[in-house]
Amino acid sequence: MAIEPTSSSASIPHRILDVLPVVMRVVAAQMRGTRHALSSGHMPVLAALRYTTYTQSELADMMSVSNATMSNTLTALEERGWIERQRSTEDRRQVYIHLTPQGQRALVESTEDMEAHIAELTVGLDAEARQKLLNGLDVLETVFMSALMNITSSEREVEMHTRKIRMK
């Protein structure tokens, strides 16, 4: 099924809203097929914890979920041995979440699995189509990173995403 390209700026929001759910559905299904059978809520949390610790409420804000939902996610990750909760020595009410070595390994291996799955999806694209896709993703990233900076006051969250971009 070929989709006709259009340059109308009015069609951009419509196309994004059409395409992103399909992308996320495929990615979520493929995550469940990785060596570690991640859910779509696990990988972003592990990725956020890759470089620094966060509190449960900071993670909930970053993932746009309730504290109760994040608590359930963290419990599942903790049961797998991928994260640990550590009470602050300065403020006993604060609990910091950090990635364990097993969690780091699960993140790395799952990322490798996901990249291989996505590579399989794009293997049929010729060089021109690949370049167009990369250019489009660059534009999408620029637009949405700008939006992220407007909706979050967390410099740590913006830095986390910026660090990922620099690693490319």
Side-chain angles (χ1 to χ4, degrees):
M1 160 174 85
I3 298 173
E4 291 300 315
T6 177
S7 60
S8 168
S9 64
S11 68
I12 292 172
H14 181 79
R15 292 291 294 137
I16 289 172
L17 292 173
D18 281 348
V19 171
L20 285 182
V22 174
V23 170
M24 293 312 300
R25 172 72 174 94
V26 170
V27 167
Q30 290 177 340
M31 272 189 224
R32 288 188 299 276
T34 64
R35 287 173 263 185
H36 299 285
L38 294 178
S39 80
S40 59
H42 293 170
M43 197 158 187
V45 173
L46 294 176
L49 294 168
R50 184 178 204 164
Y51 302 106
T52 190
T53 61
Y54 289 99
T55 65
Q56 177 178 312
S57 57
E58 287 174 324
L59 287 168
D61 286 345
M62 285 173 52
M63 305 299 155
S64 299
V65 299
S66 70
N67 271 323
T69 297
M70 184 53 64
S71 178
N72 290 337
T73 298
L74 294 176
T75 297
L77 294 173
E78 189 173 38
E79 287 171 355
R80 290 180 174 201
W82 294 347
I83 60 128
E84 289 180 346
R85 301 175 203 228
Q86 194 168 38
R87 196 162 297 281
S88 169
T89 55
E90 291 90 37
D91 182 350
R92 302 287 297 157
R93 296 169 296 176
Q94 290 284 4
V95 176
Y96 291 97
I97 316 301
H98 66 89
L99 206 55
T100 64
Q102 298 92 326
Q104 179 73 24
R105 187 171 45 260
L107 176 61
V108 167
E109 290 173 355
S110 296
T111 300
E112 290 169 354
D113 292 350
M114 290 301 302
E115 288 174 353
H117 285 303
I118 294 168
E120 287 175 21
L121 294 174
T122 60
V123 75
L125 298 178
D126 63 24
E128 182 181 357
R130 285 177 186 274
Q131 192 57 53
K132 285 181 181 178
L133 179 57
L134 287 170
N135 291 344
L137 291 170
D138 286 343
V139 171
L140 194 63
E141 181 178 69
T142 299
V143 168
F144 281 89
M145 279 300 294
S146 175
L148 177 64
M149 288 188 266
N150 290 329
I151 64 170
T152 185
S153 60
S154 171
E155 290 179 21
R156 292 173 68 196
E157 181 179 0
V158 172
E159 173 61 24
M160 177 192 72
H161 292 288
T162 304
R163 187 179 293 128
K164 282 188 209 175
I165 292 166
R166 278 185 270 154
M167 290 177 59
K168 289 190 221 174

